[in-house]
Structure formats: structure tokens, C-alpha cells
Amino acid sequence: MINIVLFGPPGSGKGTQSQKLIDKYGLIHLSTGDILRNEISEGTELGVKAKKFMDAGELVPDADVIAMVIHKLTEYDDPMGFIFDGFPRTPEQARSIRHSLTDKDLRINIMITLEVPCEELISRLVKRGEETGRSDDERSIIEKRLEVYLQQSKPVIDFYDKMRKYVAIDGMGTIDEIFDRIVCAVEACI
Ligand code: B4P
């Protein structure tokens, strides 16, 4: 079983690269952004609450996201492993998932951070906003999400670095070039 955390600022290519990793390794995709958007489209209590935070470019509260992920983990019997896409996004989320996995005798094998310059992130997300109409891909909200990433999410790197699980990957280039770099890092840890 292999468990991968795919980390990086908004627009760094986490969702894009997760799809390729699923195809190659048969892992289960656990994207907290996708799960939350699904809750919103179904109009659940969590969705109504999450939408307010997401549309403001803020993180959804830790307690809600952690409970949601722990519940999701129980839905699968004998998986090949998980790709945690966009989770953990705070040190509190990182500590919680570590405890939950340890209780099941499991662990995160590698935490991959996609590094992309800020101007490129903004340009990718503005383009996606124009193409898809995604409500949080609007310039002022994108800027807020980047600020939140630097202040609240980036410390997650230290958490995994201390455990020697952190690997930085250049997130610039074609999708296939970046994927090749990720595969090299994954193969080195399994
Ligand atoms: P997410 O859905 O995780 O959104 P994201 O950070 O923008 O990443 P995404 O995966 O969608 O984009 P990607 O980089 O692949 O989160 C949305 C919101 O949900 C958060 O702001 C927060 O409010 C909430 N949330 C989610 N998880 C949470 C948590 N754990 N705790 C609290 N709140 C949480 O791609 C972006 C664009 O770039 C795409 O259009 C893609 O086609 C393009 N692209 C990708 N690779 C490229 C490349 N190599 N070259 C050019 N373009 C590329």
C-alpha cells in the first residue's frame, strides 16, 4: 500500500497530476476540494457551510475537513493506497491524519510539493475561471487563496520534512514532464 500527499499552492497542478497517478498506480483519489464541491452541489449542511469559506478564498474549518476525510477513509476495503490531494492543508490536519493512519497501522509514504511561481499560478487559475466559471477562480479570491497558502498551509512542509518524507518537485513544464519527475520520486520511496 502506498499513500501519497500531493501538496502545493492553488493552481500548482495537484488535481491534474493526481489523475495521472491514479491511472499508473491504481490509487484512490481523495481530493478534499472535489469532495467539498460535491457537498456544495448536493446542498448538504457541510456544503452550505463550506461554500462561504471557499468563495472567500479561506480554508474550511479543520474540524469539518478532518471528520470528512476520516469518514471517507472508512468507505474502502483493502485499497491499493490513497492520493491525498489538497489535504492536509494545515499542521492540525497533518497531525490528525497521521494519528488516524497510525491507528490502522498505515502511514504516509511521501509528501510531494509542486513548486510553481506565483505569476504562473495566477495565470493558470484566471484561465480556468474563464473556462469553467469556478466561483473561487476569480482574481481577488485567487490572491486571497495564495495568501492563505503561505500563512496557513506552507507550515505543513516542515511537518513532513522533519519526518524525511518531503520532496519538492519543479511544477513548471508540460504535464507529462512534471509527471515523470513525480514518478521518479515515488519510485524512490517504494
Ligand atoms: P482545491 O480544489 O484543492 O483547489 P486548488 O488548490 O485550486 O487545486 P486544483 O487541484 O483544483 O488545481 P490544479 O492545481 O490541478 O481547493 C479549493 C478550495 O477548497 C480551497 O481554496 C479551500 O477553500 C477548500 N479546501 C480544499 N481542501 C481543503 C482542506 N484540506 N482544508 C480546508 N479547506 C480546503 O490546476 C489548476 C489549473 O492549472 C488547471 O486549469 C490545470 O489545467 C492547469 N495546469 C495544471 N498543470 C499545468 C501545467 N503543467 N501547465 C499549465 N497549466 C497547468
Side-chain angles (χ1 to χ4, degrees), residues 8-17 31-34 36-37 50 53-55 57-62 65 68-69 85-90 93 114 120-121 124-125 127-129 131 134 136-137 145 171-176 178:
S12 56
K14 302 182 293 289
T16 309
Q17 296 296 335
S31 158
T32 41
D34 287 352
L36 289 166
R37 279 185 288 278
F53 291 95
M54 291 166 78
D55 283 350
E58 303 274 2
L59 294 180
V60 176
D62 280 342
V65 177
M68 180 181 89
V69 170
D85 164 5
F87 178 90
R89 254 177 163 96
T90 63
Q93 293 180 15
L114 295 170
E120 170 72 9
L121 296 170
R124 286 183 190 180
L125 293 173
K127 183 162 170 266
R128 182 173 68 184
E131 287 169 359
R134 197 170 125 171
D136 57 348
D137 282 343
R145 287 162 66 199
M172 291 292 282
T174 67
I175 287 166
D176 285 339
I178 298 161

Side-chain angles (χ1 to χ4, degrees), residues 167-181:
V167 177
I169 299 274
D170 179 3
M172 291 292 282
T174 67
I175 287 166
D176 285 339
E177 283 165 353
I178 298 161
F179 183 63
D180 287 346
R181 290 172 204 147

Side-chain angles (χ1 to χ4, degrees), residues 32-136:
T32 41
D34 287 352
I35 301 168
L36 289 166
R37 279 185 288 278
N38 195 40
E39 296 280 336
I40 292 171
S41 67
E42 288 181 359
T44 65
E45 195 181 323
L46 173 60
V48 171
K49 182 175 180 184
K51 188 170 181 0
K52 291 182 192 144
F53 291 95
M54 291 166 78
D55 283 350
E58 303 274 2
L59 294 180
V60 176
D62 280 342
D64 296 306
V65 177
I66 291 165
M68 180 181 89
V69 170
I70 288 172
H71 176 71
K72 274 275 160 197
L73 286 175
T74 64
E75 287 181 5
Y76 304 94
D77 291 328
D78 206 18
M80 301 276 285
F82 292 93
I83 298 181
F84 294 94
D85 164 5
F87 178 90
R89 254 177 163 96
T90 63
E92 181 56 31
Q93 293 180 15
R95 282 189 287 274
S96 285
I97 193 66
R98 186 178 179 203
H99 285 137
S100 296
L101 291 176
T102 306
D103 285 348
K104 297 181 197 326
D105 241 355
L106 300 173
R107 66 192 177 99
I108 298 295
N109 299 76
I110 185 169
M111 185 267 209
I112 294 171
T113 299
L114 295 170
E115 295 187 327
V116 176
C118 199
E119 324 76 74
E120 170 72 9
L121 296 170
I122 293 173
S123 121
R124 286 183 190 180
L125 293 173
V126 165
K127 183 162 170 266
R128 182 173 68 184
E130 287 163 359
E131 287 169 359
T132 66
R134 197 170 125 171
S135 59
D136 57 348

